[in-house]
Amino acid sequence: MLPAISDAEIQTYRSRGYLLLESFIDAGWVEALSAKTDELVDASRVADPGDWRFDTEPDHASDAPRLRRINSPVDVDPLFETFSLDGPATDIAEALLGPDVRFHHSKLNLKWSDGGEEVKWHQDIAFWPHTDFSPLTIGVYLRDVDEAMGPMGVVPGSHTGELFDLTTPDGAWTGSIRDEDLPRARTEEADHLVGPAGSVTVHNCCAVHGSQPNGSDRVRPLLLQTYSRADSYPLLGVGTNGLGTRRAHQVVRGSAPDHLEIDGRRMPTAPDWFRGSYTSIFDVQQRTHR
Ligand SMILES: O=C(O)CCC(=O)C(=O)O
């Protein structure tokens, strides 16, 4: 199969740490994903407060929904599951990371009209440390997105630069780069990625990125899915936004490695125990043949 994106695009991702692929996803997919998103927004009107699927703004109401995010869409509907685990987004991940690719998590950031909240400058790797820096996030705009809508902004080349603390000086987690560090993060150089519905953003886990509030009268749905190389492991199982579901961490292209190299030593990998296959050392040792 031909790679989903060109060699030049792959080189651009490697050197700049991000990509914009305008109008990349075909209209059929965009319409289907968008219709499903509308259905879920309707479901949020009558959902119980605290429904795990929805992250809402404080003034969300049944007659005037204001969603920040739909959590883990792959666990919410099979359409999102196919798109992220064996669809066009997986194809892009394979072109950039392949042949062996692991899925980490997904989310659908709505950024509602008339003031949908900003995402402050940050680097994703601090939220979910991995054993390498291969993780990347692929975003798909489900509507046309312009500058006024708080598009994804990424600082070119920041993926190979300083890794910033996302805490206060006394160590409290803020999830954003400290104000005094922002000049070093060169955020004024950010490229704000706009494009028609179906446009794709890709950013590396170390790239400094963020987005402004949505000042327009249109919602800005951005479907985000994160992948890594299959031999990259999330540390402490953290970072699927608290949802360590069956789908998280699965290998979606190629196969899982049977060995890893750590500190220059080759060691065997363990099965994916989080899938529920672990019983106990007694059980597994007595059950298996030598
Ligand atoms: O939705 C956005 O504009 C940025 C999202 C983001 O950076 C994140 O959720 O980590």
Side-chain angles (χ1 to χ4, degrees):
M1 197 176 85
L2 285 174
I5 59 177
S6 68
D7 283 348
E9 287 162 335
I10 294 170
Q11 287 317 319
T12 300
Y13 169 76
R14 292 199 178 135
S15 63
R16 294 170 71 83
Y18 71 99
L19 267 185
L20 173 66
L21 305 167
E22 278 193 34
S23 306
F24 185 87
I25 305 295
D26 71 52
W29 263 114
V30 176
E31 276 161 30
L33 293 166
S34 200
K36 190 55 73 181
T37 304
D38 292 345
E39 265 177 44
L40 287 164
V41 169
D42 271 343
S44 80
R45 294 172 187 270
V46 291
D48 291 337
D51 185 317
W52 68 271
R53 294 172 298 171
F54 306 118
D55 176 13
T56 55
E57 292 186 10
D59 52 354
H60 171 81
S62 56
D63 56 350
R66 288 191 70 82
L67 275 75
R68 289 193 284 230
R69 173 177 283 179
I70 295 172
N71 292 314
S72 202
V74 294
D75 293 302
V76 172
D77 191 278
L79 185 75
F80 291 111
E81 183 179 8
T82 303
F83 183 82
S84 303
L85 302 188
D86 194 18
T90 334
D91 295 339
I92 298 170
E94 183 180 6
L96 290 166
L97 298 164
D100 303 318
V101 179
R102 193 183 290 281
F103 171 76
H104 186 241
H105 76 284
S106 70
K107 56 209 172 197
L108 173 46
N109 284 358
L110 274 302
K111 197 176 284 218
W112 215 257
S113 51
D114 302 313
E117 289 165 12
E118 77 176 315
V119 176
K120 295 182 183 176
W121 299 106
H122 65 281
Q123 289 160 311
D124 292 334
I125 193 70
F127 283 79
W128 23 260
H130 275 60
T131 50
D132 66 23
F133 295 131
S134 70
L136 54 77
T137 297
I138 297 175
V140 182
Y141 288 133
L142 300 182
R143 303 275 157 78
D144 298 351
V145 171
D146 61 27
E147 288 279 355
M149 295 167 78
M152 170 71 80
V154 191
V155 178
S158 54
H159 64 309
T160 55
E162 181 174 348
L163 294 171
F164 293 92
D165 286 323
L166 306 188
T167 60
T168 60
D170 54 7
W173 176 256
T174 60
S176 59
I177 297 174
R178 297 175 193 165
D179 287 348
E180 63 268 31
D181 292 344
L182 288 176
R184 290 206 316 282
R186 298 183 292 110
T187 52
E188 71 289 350
E189 293 173 29
D191 190 1
H192 296 274
L193 309 177
V194 296
S199 297
V200 165
T201 68
V202 184
H203 65 273
N204 176 261
C205 62
C206 299
V208 172
H209 65 287
S211 59
Q212 300 300 303
N214 182 357
S216 79
D217 57 4
R218 288 150 290 141
V219 175
R220 191 227 61 176
L222 175 60
L223 175 62
L224 296 153
Q225 36 267 304
T226 297
Y227 308 86
S228 68
R229 288 181 3 187
D231 59 359
S232 177
Y233 283 79
L235 300 172
L236 301 173
V238 294
T240 47
N241 293 323
L243 293 168
T245 67
R246 191 167 60 76
R247 290 168 188 82
H249 312 295
Q250 69 177 264
V251 172
V252 289
R253 288 287 156 85
S255 53
D258 55 8
H259 283 82
L260 285 178
E261 196 170 300
I262 294 186
D263 274 355
R265 295 169 72 187
R266 186 176 151 84
M267 61 166 269
T269 55
D272 283 345
W273 299 126
F274 56 81
R275 238 175 271 299
S277 53
Y278 188 76
T279 49
S280 75
I281 190 168
F282 300 105
D283 180 61
V284 75
Q285 289 184 349
Q286 300 310 318
R287 229 177 342 112
T288 46
H289 298 288
R290 280 162 208 285

